[in-house]
Amino acid sequence: DYASARGLQLAIEHFPTGEIPSAREAIELIEGAKLNNLGLLLDTGHLAIAGEGLDDAFRCASEKVVHVHLNNNDGSRDLHWPPQDGTLTELDFRRLVSAMYGSGYDGNVSVEIVNPDPMAETISRSMAFVQKLLVGRRGGRQAEKKEGL
């Protein structure tokens, strides 16, 4: 297809109040599509709303995850709060990171926040939170290949 011929990776994002309400249903759709360049964008805020555990959802989908959005909310609305603010705890995120590293995940991770106030301070706190989660972790599949593991 057009995207595959150009080396483009495509991703489906699950959305708890939409047509693809869970990560598990997104995986079923991706597997049914039978496209090598179609993966899953796993969103932590959406997992919280759907009641899916972050680490369990990642483990279930690990071979298909190509991007992870880190954000938080009140457990019912898609608010895109910073990951350190909301119903998801630091332990939830630590378990997710552990699952990611345990699988050798080497895809992208981004903090997805909407209208932070104050912006610079919120972004700085979010980056510090994520860096704290990653301290002492080694890289994913690419780092292992470079190190000959």
Side-chain angles (χ1 to χ4, degrees), residues 1-135:
D1 72 325
Y2 182 87
S4 182
R6 286 156 181 78
L8 298 174
Q9 175 69 54
L10 303 175
I12 291 177
E13 182 175 4
H14 56 105
F15 192 74
T17 59
E19 297 295 321
I20 309 168
S22 72
R24 284 176 178 78
E25 289 173 270
I27 290 300
E28 290 173 12
L29 180 63
I30 290 164
E31 289 173 348
K34 299 183 185 343
L35 298 171
N36 292 334
N37 64 326
L38 182 61
L40 175 66
L41 188 161
L42 194 72
D43 186 296
T44 60
H46 296 171
L47 291 171
I49 295 167
E52 296 181 86
L54 306 186
D55 55 328
D56 290 337
F58 185 87
R59 282 188 196 94
C60 175
S62 65
E63 292 300 315
K64 299 293 182 184
V65 177
V66 297
H67 193 102
V68 177
H69 278 174
L70 301 179
N71 64 85
N72 212 330
N73 56 47
D74 64 1
S76 61
R77 295 174 294 159
D78 191 25
L79 300 168
H80 294 98
W81 287 346
Q84 68 275 9
D85 300 333
T87 58
L88 295 171
T89 67
E90 182 176 333
L91 181 58
D92 293 323
F93 285 101
R94 286 197 176 284
R95 288 178 175 157
L96 170 63
V97 169
S98 180
M100 290 166 60
Y101 276 93
S103 76
Y105 178 72
D106 63 352
N108 294 312
V109 176
S110 62
V111 172
E112 181 186 30
I113 50 180
V114 176
N115 298 322
D117 186 33
M119 186 176 292
E121 178 185 325
T122 303
I123 291 170
S124 180
R125 284 187 321 111
S126 297
M127 292 300 102
F129 178 80
V130 171
Q131 288 177 11
K132 186 171 136 183
L133 295 174
L134 300 176
V135 167

